[in-house]
Amino acid sequence: MADIDVKKMLAERVPLVDAEIAKYIPREHAIPNLYDAMWHGIGTGGKRLRPVLCMVAAEALGAK
């Protein structure tokens, strides 16, 4: 079994997850507090792990 560097895996993929989220929840917005609250809710620890795990699973199955 290969050694997996989880920190490296997250460091490489979390920016991709954040970029996708930003398409739907913009950082720059006209509605005060609404989007800020949404970013606050998803900004806490662990919220990027599931999307990254999905990406890794897809890559393991041959997705690009």
Side-chain angles (χ1 to χ4, degrees):
M1 180 176 250
D3 290 335
I4 299 171
D5 187 348
V6 176
K7 288 183 182 182
K8 180 180 177 189
M9 179 181 65
L10 288 171
E12 291 172 349
R13 291 171 179 86
V14 165
L16 300 172
V17 173
D18 283 341
E20 287 299 313
I21 292 171
K23 290 179 183 178
Y24 301 97
I25 306 174
R27 295 261 189 201
E28 301 294 325
H29 48 77
I31 304 171
N33 300 327
L34 176 62
Y35 292 119
D36 293 333
M38 293 169 78
W39 273 104
H40 178 74
I42 62 172
T44 57
K47 298 294 193 293
R48 306 301 185 275
L49 183 58
R50 284 185 212 128
V52 169
L53 290 175
C54 287
M55 292 168 70
V56 172
E59 290 168 11
L61 295 172
K64 295 184 180 190

